Amino acid sequence: MSKTRYKNQKESNEAIAKAYIENDYTNSQNKLLLVSKANYGEKSSNVCYSSVDDKGMNFYEFNNNAERNLMLIERYEWADFSSVTIDHSVTKSVFTFVGHGENRDITIEGKGKEVEQVIRNHSSMEVNVVKRPVWTKVLGYRSQTTWKMFMASTVYTLILLFILHALLPAATHNFIMGLALLILFLSIIGLFIGLIKPKWVLPKFKIKTRKRVLFSYLYLILSCFFIAGVFSDGESTSTPASTQVSSSQNSVTVASKKDGADSSEQKIEKNDSDKAVKEKKKQKAEEQAAKEEAKQKAEEQAAKEEAKQKAEEQAAKEEAKQKAEEQAAKEEAERKAKEQAAKEEAERNAQEQAAKEEAERNAQEQAAKEEAERKAQQQAASQQATTSSSTSSSGNYKPFENDPSDDQQSNMSCSGQIKGNKNSKIYHVPGGAYYDRTQDNIVWFCSEADAQAAGYRESQR
């Protein structure tokens, strides 16, 4: 299968998966946010896709040979997890969800940053992002696999040696080769010692194992072989130049020693040899200038890369600072929300307590009112019974008329409450405006009915 055909088939599968997932969410209350290729737990022989919504994440398995290409196999709700740890790399992101039950490891390809943003915006989980050093993002060091890092280090060393060979002058090549041979000899000795006692040859490493010794010293040995191979070309290329100079000198010497040559031919040959020497010196000067220019360009390139690296580190620091500020703001908002909720809860409890006390007070007042009404009814019934008895006992009732000099109520046969004026034929009840003012010509009645029966009318005030 060609690369174009494989690419078209891959795009077709992704389009089928996306269309199926969008159709699956048509009647769902959850809002679909993104679709990505994913892997959950153990790897399956079929391709898996994930759909991320505001409430959680669905996982589908794609099978080209099945009747339905995409099948829902599992769903995770954001509310089921308390925290998540995210490890971003260049091509994928690993999410480790921690909840009340079993933890979940999920790999999202290509859209890890978007999924992280969804989790931050639509869940209350604690988000922890693994901070990787800059060198772990370099090709060959991302997986942290020992043999992959060994191969990458070897390739990068070989490239660096070719760059140094182009920049360094030929006079330093012999010294570099001698140093490489010395390091090679020491590395071989260190390898044999380290296989017996790893701690002796790995003083600054945290992990001191024979495997670490093997990879570390094999890398040194290969690097020394590469140095010898690269810088030996510099020695061989410088040899023809010296031989050419020596041959020219020999030719000049032979020419000077020739017998029978006239002086004009000697001068011509000498001039030719001088020109050749000058041209060679000029050529060397041009080569030296070219090397220095290449060295300068390499230094400028290294400075640019260093500045770019510093800019990336600064951007990473600023991003981490911004995330920390956002996290602090989020925690502050949550704290204020909790305080507001606690305050509202206290106010609600106070209102309920006040309502309860008000209800108890109303109940007490109602009970007191009912008790007063009951007593009033009992007193009225008692007075009515007394009136009925007094009326029935005396057939022809005649109200008591007191002596104007003696108007005391105690002179009556019953406890009268009604005070009548004999002259005006008006009776007054207790609490009336003229009840206390009426002091002469008083006639006492036991009830208003008795007063009305005697021909008296009630006072208007």
Side-chain angles (χ1 to χ4, degrees):
M1 182 182 292
S2 63
K3 186 181 294 184
T4 305
R5 183 180 177 186
Y6 175 78
K7 183 178 180 181
N8 293 336
Q9 183 181 1
K10 183 178 179 182
E11 291 177 352
S12 176
N13 292 342
E14 290 182 357
I16 292 173
K18 187 175 181 181
Y20 178 88
I21 292 172
E22 289 177 352
N23 185 44
D24 193 23
Y25 272 84
T26 302
N27 299 323
S28 175
Q29 296 180 353
N30 301 330
K31 182 180 179 182
L32 178 63
L33 299 176
L34 60 93
V35 178
S36 174
K37 191 175 179 182
N39 177 267
Y40 72 102
E42 298 180 355
K43 292 186 177 180
S44 174
S45 58
N46 297 322
V47 179
C48 296
Y49 291 91
S50 67
S51 64
V52 180
D53 54 63
D54 55 342
K55 298 293 180 59
M57 180 183 297
N58 288 345
F59 284 91
Y60 300 85
E61 189 174 44
F62 188 88
N63 189 352
N64 230 348
N65 299 323
E67 183 178 355
R68 296 179 65 185
N69 296 112
L70 212 64
M71 182 177 295
L72 178 63
I73 53 178
E74 197 164 0
R75 175 171 175 81
Y76 298 140
E77 296 286 343
W78 302 139
D80 294 338
F81 302 102
S82 58
S83 64
V84 59
T85 302
I86 306 173
D87 187 4
H88 291 298
S89 62
V90 177
T91 58
K92 63 183 179 179
S93 300
V94 179
F95 292 76
T96 302
F97 291 93
V98 179
H100 302 291
E102 183 181 358
N103 297 346
R104 297 290 184 182
D105 290 333
I106 299 168
T107 302
I108 302 295
E109 296 186 8
K111 297 184 179 180
K113 295 284 187 180
E114 290 85 345
V115 177
E116 176 189 350
Q117 195 62 35
V118 170
I119 293 173
R120 290 184 183 275
N121 294 337
H122 297 279
S123 73
S124 59
M125 280 188 286
E126 179 184 356
V127 180
N128 301 313
V129 180
V130 177
K131 294 183 178 180
R132 286 174 168 265
V134 177
W135 62 271
T136 58
K137 298 181 180 180
V138 180
L139 184 63
Y141 295 92
R142 300 170 186 168
S143 62
Q144 298 293 296
T145 307
T146 306
W147 70 270
K148 289 184 179 180
M149 292 192 293
F150 175 79
M151 295 297 295
S153 301
T154 305
V155 172
Y156 293 148
T157 302
L158 186 59
I159 295 172
L160 179 63
L161 289 176
F162 279 112
I163 295 174
L164 292 175
H165 175 266
L167 298 178
L168 295 177
T172 61
H173 291 183
N174 292 333
F175 172 75
I176 293 173
M177 285 189 61
L179 183 62
L181 293 175
L182 177 62
I183 296 174
L184 175 63
F185 176 73
L186 295 176
S187 299
I188 294 173
I189 296 175
L191 177 61
F192 284 107
I193 296 174
L195 294 176
I196 302 172
K197 292 288 184 180
K199 295 181 180 180
W200 290 3
V201 295
L202 298 174
K204 293 184 179 181
F205 286 87
K206 293 182 180 179
I207 301 175
K208 300 178 181 181
T209 60
R210 289 181 175 85
K211 183 178 179 181
R212 175 59 64 88
V213 171
L214 180 63
F215 279 105
S216 300
Y217 281 89
L218 276 180
Y219 167 72
L220 288 176
I221 292 171
L222 286 176
S223 299
C224 292
F225 274 116
F226 290 154
I227 292 172
V230 170
F231 285 91
S232 62
D233 293 335
E235 183 180 0
S236 61
T237 52
S238 61
T239 303
S242 60
T243 53
Q244 289 178 2
V245 174
S246 60
S247 62
S248 62
Q249 291 177 352
N250 291 332
S251 62
V252 172
T253 305
V254 171
S256 61
K257 290 182 179 181
K258 283 184 179 180
D259 295 332
D262 51 78
S263 59
S264 60
E265 291 178 354
Q266 290 179 356
K267 289 181 181 180
I268 292 172
E269 289 177 357
K270 186 176 181 181
N271 291 332
D272 292 337
S273 63
D274 291 337
K275 289 180 180 179
V277 170
K278 288 180 180 179
E279 289 177 358
K280 289 173 184 176
K281 288 182 178 180
K282 183 179 180 181
Q283 184 178 1
K284 286 184 178 180
E286 291 175 353
E287 290 176 356
Q288 185 66 23
K291 288 182 179 180
E292 290 177 356
E293 184 178 358
K295 182 178 180 181
Q296 184 178 0
K297 289 182 179 179
E299 290 176 352
E300 291 176 356
Q301 183 66 23
K304 289 181 179 178
E305 291 177 354
E306 185 177 0
K308 183 178 179 181
Q309 184 178 0
K310 288 182 178 179
E312 291 176 352
E313 291 176 354
Q314 183 66 22
K317 288 181 180 179
E318 291 177 356
E319 183 179 0
K321 183 178 179 181
Q322 183 179 0
K323 289 181 178 178
E325 291 176 352
E326 291 176 354
Q327 184 67 21
K330 185 177 179 182
E331 292 175 355
E332 181 68 18
E334 291 177 353
R335 183 181 63 79
K336 289 183 178 179
K338 289 179 180 178
E339 291 178 355
Q340 183 67 19
K343 186 177 179 181
E344 291 175 356
E345 181 70 18
E347 290 177 356
R348 185 169 64 253
N349 292 336
Q351 291 175 358
E352 291 176 356
Q353 184 66 21
K356 186 177 180 182
E357 292 176 355
E358 180 69 20
E360 291 177 355
R361 185 169 65 253
N362 292 336
Q364 292 175 357
E365 291 176 357
Q366 184 67 21
K369 186 176 180 181
E370 292 175 356
E371 181 67 19
E373 290 177 357
R374 185 180 61 80
K375 288 182 179 180
Q377 291 175 359
Q378 290 177 356
Q379 187 175 0
S382 175
Q383 291 177 0
Q384 185 177 2
T386 305
T387 303
S388 299
S389 62
S390 63
T391 304
S392 62
S393 63
S394 58
N396 295 323
Y397 177 77
K398 183 178 180 180
F400 172 77
E401 296 182 8
N402 69 315
D403 188 349
S405 62
D406 183 10
D407 59 355
Q408 297 298 319
Q409 186 181 2
S410 60
N411 296 327
M412 292 189 65
S413 59
C414 65
S415 296
Q417 295 291 329
I418 307 301
K419 184 186 288 187
N421 190 315
K422 185 177 181 180
N423 295 333
S424 63
K425 294 294 182 179
I426 297 174
Y427 70 87
H428 305 277
V429 296
Y434 295 103
Y435 186 83
D436 294 331
R437 295 183 184 182
T438 304
Q439 297 179 357
D440 297 327
N441 301 317
I442 297 174
V443 179
W444 292 98
F445 297 97
C446 293
S447 65
E448 291 187 38
D450 294 342
Q452 291 174 0
Y456 285 77
R457 65 176 179 85
E458 183 181 4
S459 175
Q460 298 297 324
R461 299 180 64 182

